[in-house]
């Protein structure tokens, strides 16, 4: 509990050191518990983020940048996992699924927006 009261008063370099330590230390720990390192980083980010322990504080431009970078990295890794042969075999179903899952929220969101 003492960490929670100390966290908002941490100097910016200490916050940056905490984030750097997490980035370096979490992937080996995640591998040890048989999780992908990226999942460990996501879980640790949720833990120290503004909606849980809030160890970083309100003014966090570097952390926001790292969060955006993490999202891009996650999308890159998801793209690497695509099996192109399987996608070619299921191309029509995949395209139909993509169109439906894009069109339905778009239509519902537009209709709700127009109602208001």
């Amino acid at each position: 509990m003492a960490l929670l009261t100390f966290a908002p008063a941490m100097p910016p370099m200490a916050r940056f050191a905490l984030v750097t330590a997490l980035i370096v230390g979490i992937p080996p720990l995640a591998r040890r518990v048989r999780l992908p390192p990226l999942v460990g980083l996501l879980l640790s980010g949720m833990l120290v983020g503004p909606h849980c322990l809030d160890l970083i504080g309100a003014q966090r431009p570097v952390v926001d940048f790292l969060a955006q970078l993490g999202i891009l990295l996650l999308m890159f890794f998801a793209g690497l996992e695509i099996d192109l042969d399987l996608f070619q075999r299921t191309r029509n179903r995949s395209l139909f699924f993509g169109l439906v899952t894009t069109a339905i929220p778009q239509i519902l969101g537009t209709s709700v927006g127009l109602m208001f």
Side-chain angles (χ1 to χ4, degrees), residues 108-116:
L108 290 175
T110 302
S111 61
V112 168
L114 290 174
M115 285 191 321
F116 288 107

Side-chain angles (χ1 to χ4, degrees), residues 5-83:
T5 58
F6 175 70
M10 288 172 57
M13 284 305 290
R15 292 179 190 169
F16 183 73
L18 175 69
V19 171
T20 305
L22 286 174
I23 290 172
V24 171
I26 292 297
L29 291 174
R31 282 188 209 100
R32 179 162 253 170
V33 295
R34 298 178 192 247
L35 281 175
L38 196 59
V39 173
L41 287 171
L42 286 172
L43 291 175
S44 67
M46 289 182 348
L47 183 68
V48 301
H51 302 294
C52 193
L53 294 178
D54 195 20
L55 293 180
I56 304 303
Q59 299 295 326
R60 52 185 190 273
V62 173
V63 175
D64 289 337
F65 170 73
L66 290 174
Q68 292 297 319
L69 193 63
I71 291 169
L72 292 174
L73 189 64
L74 180 64
M75 292 189 315
F76 175 73
F77 284 145
L80 284 179
E81 294 294 322
I82 293 176
D83 183 7

Side-chain angles (χ1 to χ4, degrees), residues 57 76 100 102 106:
F76 175 73
V100 167
T102 302
Q106 180 69 40

